[in-house]
Structure formats: structure tokens, C-alpha cells
């Protein structure tokens, strides 16, 4: 076994690898960019080395910097995690030449599965069923359009070197094919340096089911059963589970055998995943699953397999890479119970799952209710440079219903302030009747998106507590100070104070009258309610209102506050009374960058008439393209950016003429 390894990654996967390495007595070396100098994975490792500035191309993708850190630290092997260099065969070759082991498959295996078109041809030879489509080398747009017409719509355009939903476009109408092809190529080039694509038939009711495989250098290969990853948005996984709902034993065996054949066809060693798509228009059937691709690395969702099998897949990786045989044969592997994993991201679900940035002013993860894999802590910053994952929340139960109930409880106990998250969206998915019944397919989220992202109105109690907190009336009592019970009270009459809040984009002035004994009358629109602060414990409040005792948490930031109550997080703004509303008033006339990014395409021209929701620009951020649309009908006035320009969060990109000027 290795004595010291280097982890060529960051975030939660780096922390995950460090955890197993420490349990096995293996010393760990972290690498970090300037943006990650104080990151959690750096703090957990035994030692760490700076490898460059924040952009991945100048740090985590610099092979020579990783090898230099190996030599300086004496690391015998490198664990690549996932993403970054994990599926780069040139990295494996460079490590081998430097005398450093790679904790993963051979360069030849990675190359064999690295391009989707070549991999599908290889799988056909191995007797593994593949999705109907065009996987050839000809990339002429008219030729590809003709192949799509032959396959029949809808079709899926996929960057052949893609992954993680990048470089992928669904096309339902032949007229949209060329624009979709251009976008898929552009995103594939930006993310993987390869703009070539393949075309596949899009199954109208598919399920994404993958098989965890493992091989060693002694010719052995096994599978560790399936995971269902059908809950996706923008082709990216949201909640994964193991095993797959309603999976017939016959189909489980057929998929497992096909996955092992695929692994053996390329002499695979280490952890890998064979991804299949199943046509479930008539339910799961053993002759209706097709090979999509192989991920020659550990998957983000590997914890659900660990929880149902009781195996540590990172430990398996380390033992196999050190030359050992697989810890178990196929006959010795079994699973029990059910597991779910939910990916908690810094993203705004109601705004098209737009990635978010910000400082985690408060972070409380449900570690008593679930396994939580995370690479961040309270006070850390979510930057635009990397994937905006905050944590993976993973649960296990004896049945699917029990496990899903545990997942919902864990998500409702999750608290994040300072950055918008998808926590409410994940909770809504857990409550979704179809998902709860196991009736899942990759189109579920898109079909029911409006229901899943519907945000509840901010309740009166949350508004009242926000007003009290904004006025400083919910601070903990200082020792035995008898005057604390008189907070805000006046001798001649109850004092009046006013809290200015911004709720749902509207400013509200909330009047609060202090009644003494930490009791307050709060004016809420047309009526008044009395609140008594019973107990304050840090951010947690216990209060009485109309004979009802309840609890909540209130986190006050610089310009906003968050009220956590009944499993929901309500974000409420704290406007500056001295600032005007000019910026807000003009928002409908401007297109503003929602995050830092690169202007990839500008569709509009000055003087052009546009209609509401017409695409005007494409902004690339966090390796994904985001289409920005016209906020209203109008005429383009000032075009303030050009293609290839890097912009910061809040930059005005384009302005429409004021309606009076446009009419003139």
C-alpha cells in the first residue's frame, strides 16, 4: 500500500479521498490555487502546495505543476478525483514517466472510452447494445442534419468529448438543428477543447441507469450493482439513488453482465461507471437498455453504492492501484436497503438554475441525520472559478420510502445563508408524488418544473422576526442584566420603531412597538400580532405568538437576512434608507450580467427592434453557457460589450431605449 498520495483535485472529492487515506494510515498532499489557499481540503491534508492562480487552466489543469508537487512532497501516487485531469490520458502518461502511480485506469483504457463515438463502436463489437444514432467522423453541418432527419426527431446532439451535461442539446424541430449544433460545438470546444459531436435518437421516456464497475491488473472485473440517475436538469444529475426503483432481477443481471463485458473489453483497472439509458415507455425491460458512455473515474454519486454495499470505493481504488486484487469477487458482493444522494448547489432554481456566488455567512449541514460530503465551511466563498457544489447529502434506509423520508428531513434541516441554493427545489423533488412512487424518468423535472420551483410566500411570522432582528431586538440577553427585559420600552408609552425590509422585490415598512418583557406588537399589513421572545440561543429563537410557541433561526448579513423556519429559508433584504430606487427602476431597460463570465455571442445590434424573451447574448460562466434574453419589447440602444469580453457580476451588458425615445 502507498505511504503518501497527492490528490490532484479540490472541494468535496479531495476531502473525501483524504478521509479514507487517513483511516488507512496514508499521508496526504493537497494542491491549491490562489482562490483555494484557505480551503477545507488544504486544511485537512498533511501538507499542501500552491499550483497557480484561480483559473483551472492555470492551476488544477497544469500537469507539470502537479508532478512538481509530487516530487517535492515525495508522493508515490496521485488520486485525480473527478473532473479536471481525471480522464486525461496524457496526465497518466506523464505521471508514469515521472515514476508516480496513477490511482485509476491505464491511459489506453481512458483513450478507448474518452470519445463517445469511438466508445460506442467498441461497445458494439463487444456485444453491448448502443443507442441508435450517428457516431462517425464526418462533421459537415448539412451531413449531420441529414443524419438527424434520418434518425427522426427528437434527437440529442452531444459533444463527443463531453460530460456533465456540457456540449449537449436536444432538438425537437428540424428548423432548430443548426443553431443547436453551433451551441453544442461551441460549448464542447470551451469545456473539452473538442467541438466534434455525435447525434443520437432521443428517447421520449428514458431512465438513466448506470452500473458501478471495478477491475484490477490481474484480469478481474466485477460490478457493484446499479444507480438510478434519472432526476436531471440540463442533463446534469440532481438526486441519485441505489438500487433503481422497480428493477427486475433479470434486467439487473443483464445490465451487470453487459457492464462487466464493457470493462473487460478494454482491460479496465480501477473504478468506472458504465452509463446506460433505458426506454421505459413500457416499463423496465431487459432488452431495452442502451450503452451511452463510460466514465473512467469515480463518480460524484459513488456514496449511494457505498451505503447499500458497505464497501469503501476509494479504498478499493487505492488497493487496486497499489497492485492488489479486487477485495471481493462477484459472488461475495450484495446490497441491502436503499440510498439517496442529493446535490446541494449554489444556484437559483427559479432563475433557470443559474449558478450563484457569494460568501457562506452561515452553513449548518445535517450531519446527525445524513452522511454529508462537503468541501466548504461557514465563511468560505463560492467563487465563479469552480463547480458551485456546497455538499452532497446522502442517506440510507431499509426501504425506499424510509430512505426518502430521511432525505427530506435532512434537506429541511440544511441551512445556508449568504448564497442562494437549490435546497428548496431538492425538498420539493422529495415531496413529488411521482418521484415518491418511483415513477421517474429524465423528463420529470422539465415536465413539472413550475411546481418544483414554486416559492412559498414569506409567512407573517418570518416577516415579524425579520423586522425584530433588523432592529436588533432579538439579540441574546447579556448575563443577568435586568434591563434586557425592557428592550425598546419607554416609560410614557410603548416605543415605536420601523424596520425597512425588502420582500419579493418590494419594500415594506414594518412598525414595531415594544411592550416590555421582550414582548413586541408588530404591525403586519392590516392587523397587529404580539410576539414574545422566549429564548435566544445564538441564531436560534423560541417565540410565542397568540398562544403558539414556535422556533426559527435568523441570520443577519450585511444587506440581507435569512429566516429558517419549517424547512424553508426566507431571504429578506435590508435596504439602505439613504439609497434611492433608481437602479431598481431601470432594471427593465437593461440586460445585466447575473454573474462574472465571458461574453461568448452577441446576437443583437444597436437600433434593432427586439421582443420580450428574445435571446440577446450568451454568457459563459462556470463552463456552462447561459442565454440572456430581452427584458421587454423595445429597441436596442447601447450595446456595451463585445464578444470575447470578460465581465463582472452586475455589469450592464446592453440597454434598451426608453419607451418614449423608442416611440419617437
Amino acid at each position: 500500500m502507498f505511504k503518501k498520495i497527492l490528490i490532484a483535485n479540490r472541494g468535496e472529492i479531495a476531502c473525501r479521498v483524504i478521509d479514507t487515506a487517513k483511516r488507512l494510515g496514508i499521508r496526504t498532499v493537497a494542491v491549491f490555487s490562489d482562490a483555494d489557499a484557505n480551503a477545507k481540503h488544504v486544511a485537512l491534508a498533511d501538507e499542501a502546495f500552491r499550483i497557480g492562480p484561480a483559473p483551472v487552466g492555470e492551476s488544477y489543469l497544469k500537469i507539470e505543476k502537479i508532478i512538481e508537487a509530487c516530487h517535492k512532497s515525495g508522493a508515490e501516487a496521485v488520486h485525480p478525483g473527478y473532473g479536471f485531469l481525471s480522464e486525461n490520458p496524457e496526465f497518466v502518461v506523464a505521471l508514469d514517466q515521472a515514476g508516480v502511480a496513477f490511482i485509476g485506469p491505464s491511459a489506453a483504457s481512458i483513450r478507448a472510452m474518452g470519445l463517445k463515438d469511438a466508445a460506442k463502436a467498441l461497445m458494439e463489437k463487444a456485444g453491448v447494445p448502443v443507442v441508435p444514432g450517428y457516431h462517425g467522423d464526418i462533421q459537415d453541418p448539412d451531413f449531420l442534419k441529414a443524419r438527424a432527419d434520418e434518425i427522426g426527431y427528437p434527437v440529442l446532439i452531444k459533444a463527443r468529448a463531453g460530460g456533465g451535461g456540457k456540449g449537449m442539446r436536444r432538438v425537437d424541430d428540424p428548423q432548430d438543428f443548426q443553431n443547436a449544433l453551433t451551441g453544442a460545438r461551441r460549448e464542447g470546444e470551451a469545456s473539452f477543447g473538442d467541438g466534434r459531436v455525435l447525434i443520437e435518437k432521443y428517447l421520449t421516456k428514458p431512465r438513466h441507469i448506470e452500473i458501478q464497475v471495478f477491475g484490477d491488473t490481474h484480469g478481474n472485473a466485477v460490478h457493484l450493482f446499479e444507480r438510478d440517475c434519472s432526476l436531471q436538469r440540463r442533463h446534469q444529475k440532481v438526486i441519485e439513488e441505489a438500487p433503481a426503483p422497480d428493477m427486475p432481477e433479470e434486467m439487473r443481471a443483464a445490465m451487470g453482465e453487459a457492464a462487466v463485458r464493457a470493462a473487460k473489453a478494454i482491460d479496465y483497472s480501477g473504478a468506472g461507471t458504465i452509463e446506460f439509458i433505458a426506454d421505459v415507455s413500457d416499463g423496465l425491460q431487459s432488452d431495452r437498455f442502451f450503452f451511452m458512455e463510460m466514465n473512467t473515474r469515480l463518480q460524484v454519486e459513488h456514496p449511494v453504492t457505498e451505503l447499500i454495499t458497505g464497501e469503501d470505493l476509494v479504498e478499493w481504488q487505492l488497493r487496486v492501484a497499489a497492485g492488489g486484487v479486487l477485495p471481493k469477487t462477484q459472488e461475495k458482493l450484495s446490497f441491502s436497503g436503499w440510498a439517496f444522494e442529493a446535490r446541494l448547489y449554489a444556484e437559483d432554481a427559479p432563475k433557470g438554475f443559474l449558478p450563484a456566488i457569494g460568501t457562506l455567512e452561515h452553513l449548518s449541514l445535517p450531519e446527525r441525520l445524513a452522511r454529508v460530503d462537503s468541501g466548504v465551511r461557514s465563511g468560505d466563498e463560492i467563487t465563479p472559478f469552480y463547480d458551485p457544489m456546497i455538499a452532497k447529502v446522502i442517506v440510507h434506509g431499509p426501504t425506499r420510502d424510509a430512505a426518502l423520508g430521511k432525505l427530506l428531513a435532512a434537506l429541511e434541516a440544511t441551512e445556508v445563508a449568504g448564497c442562494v441554493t437549490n435546497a428548496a427545489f431538492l425538498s420539493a423533488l422529495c415531496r413529488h408524488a411521482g418521484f415518491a412512487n418511483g415513477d421517474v424518468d429524465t423528463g420529470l423535472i422539465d415536465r413539472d418544473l413550475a411546481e418544483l420551483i414554486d416559492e412559498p410566500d414569506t409567512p407573517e411570522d418570518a416577516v415579524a422576526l425579520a423586522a425584530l432582528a433588523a432592529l436588533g431586538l432579538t439579540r441574546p440577553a447579556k448575563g443577568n442584566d435586568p434591563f434586557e427585559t425592557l428592550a425598546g420600552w419607554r416609560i410614557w408609552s410603548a416605543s415605536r420603531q420601523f424596520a425597512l425590509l425588502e420582500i419579493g422585490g418590494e419594500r415594506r415598512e414594518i412598525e414595531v412597538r415594544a411592550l416590555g418583557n421582550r414582548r413586541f406588537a408588530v404591525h403586519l399589513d392590516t392587523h397587529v400580532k404580539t410576539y414574545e421572545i422566549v429564548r435566544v440561543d445564538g441564531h436560534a429563537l423560541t417565540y410565542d405568538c397568540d398562544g403558539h410557541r414556535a422556533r426559527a433561526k435568523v441570520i443577519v448579513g450585511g444587506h440581507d437576512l435569512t429566516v429558517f423556519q419549517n424547512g424553508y429559508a426566507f431571504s429578506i433584504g435590508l435596504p439602505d434608507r439613504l439609497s434611492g430606487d433608481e437602479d431598481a427602476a431601470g432594471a427593465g431597460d437593461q440586460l445585466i450580467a447575473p454573474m462574472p463570465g465571458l461574453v461568448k455571442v452577441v446576437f443583437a445590434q444597436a437600433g434593432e427592434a427586439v421582443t420580450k424573451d428574445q435571446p440577446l447574448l450568451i454568457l459563459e460562466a462556470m463552463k456552462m453557457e447561459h442565454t440572456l434574453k430581452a427584458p421587454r419589447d423595445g429597441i436596442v440602444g447601447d450595446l456595451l460589450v463585445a464578444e470575447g469580453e470578460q465581465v463582472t457580476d452586475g455589469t450592464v451588458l446592453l440597454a434598451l431605449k426608453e419607451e418614449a425615445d423608442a416611440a419617437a
Side-chain angles (χ1 to χ4, degrees), residues 528-572:
V528 180
K529 296 176 75 172
T530 300
Y531 289 84
E532 178 183 353
I533 305 301
V534 177
R535 179 180 174 82
V536 181
D537 185 7
H539 300 296
L541 304 177
T542 301
Y543 65 95
D544 278 350
C545 180
D546 297 334
H548 175 233
R549 179 161 295 190
R551 296 175 180 82
K553 270 189 181 179
V554 182
I555 311 296
V556 181
H559 301 289
D560 58 17
L561 56 77
T562 305
V563 179
F564 296 101
Q565 190 172 40
N566 299 326
Y568 290 95
F570 302 100
S571 182
I572 296 172

Side-chain angles (χ1 to χ4, degrees), residues 503-642:
I503 303 170
E506 296 183 1
R507 292 190 174 189
R508 291 178 59 182
E509 191 98 49
I510 307 297
E511 179 182 344
V512 176
R513 292 176 179 261
L515 305 177
N517 247 6
R518 297 183 74 84
R519 294 173 64 249
F520 305 94
V522 182
H523 292 243
L524 297 162
D525 292 330
T526 59
H527 59 285
V528 180
K529 296 176 75 172
T530 300
Y531 289 84
E532 178 183 353
I533 305 301
V534 177
R535 179 180 174 82
V536 181
D537 185 7
H539 300 296
L541 304 177
T542 301
Y543 65 95
D544 278 350
C545 180
D546 297 334
H548 175 233
R549 179 161 295 190
R551 296 175 180 82
K553 270 189 181 179
V554 182
I555 311 296
V556 181
H559 301 289
D560 58 17
L561 56 77
T562 305
V563 179
F564 296 101
Q565 190 172 40
N566 299 326
Y568 290 95
F570 302 100
S571 182
I572 296 172
L574 298 175
D576 183 349
R577 289 183 181 276
L578 300 180
S579 68
D581 290 328
E582 293 84 2
D583 291 341
D589 295 327
Q590 298 175 336
L591 204 61
I592 298 173
M595 71 193 80
L598 178 71
V599 178
K600 293 290 289 186
V601 182
V602 177
F603 297 117
Q605 296 180 352
E608 178 184 353
V610 297
T611 57
K612 180 177 170 56
D613 292 331
Q614 178 180 331
L616 300 183
L617 295 98
I618 292 179
L619 187 70
E620 180 187 274
M622 299 180 181
K623 293 299 182 183
M624 294 289 284
E625 290 188 352
H626 307 277
T627 301
L628 305 184
K629 301 177 181 180
R632 61 170 173 82
D633 293 351
I635 296 175
V636 177
D638 296 321
L639 186 59
L640 304 173
V641 293

Side-chain angles (χ1 to χ4, degrees), residues 292-324:
M292 287 199 302
E293 62 186 12
M294 181 179 188
N295 290 301
T296 53
R297 53 171 168 79
L298 198 66
Q299 291 279 87
V300 178
E301 58 272 19
H302 75 274
V304 294
T305 296
E306 293 184 324
L307 291 188
I308 66 168
T309 62
E311 305 295 334
D312 183 331
L313 299 189
V314 174
E315 180 179 346
W316 278 45
Q317 285 186 294
L318 294 169
R319 295 195 182 283
V320 167

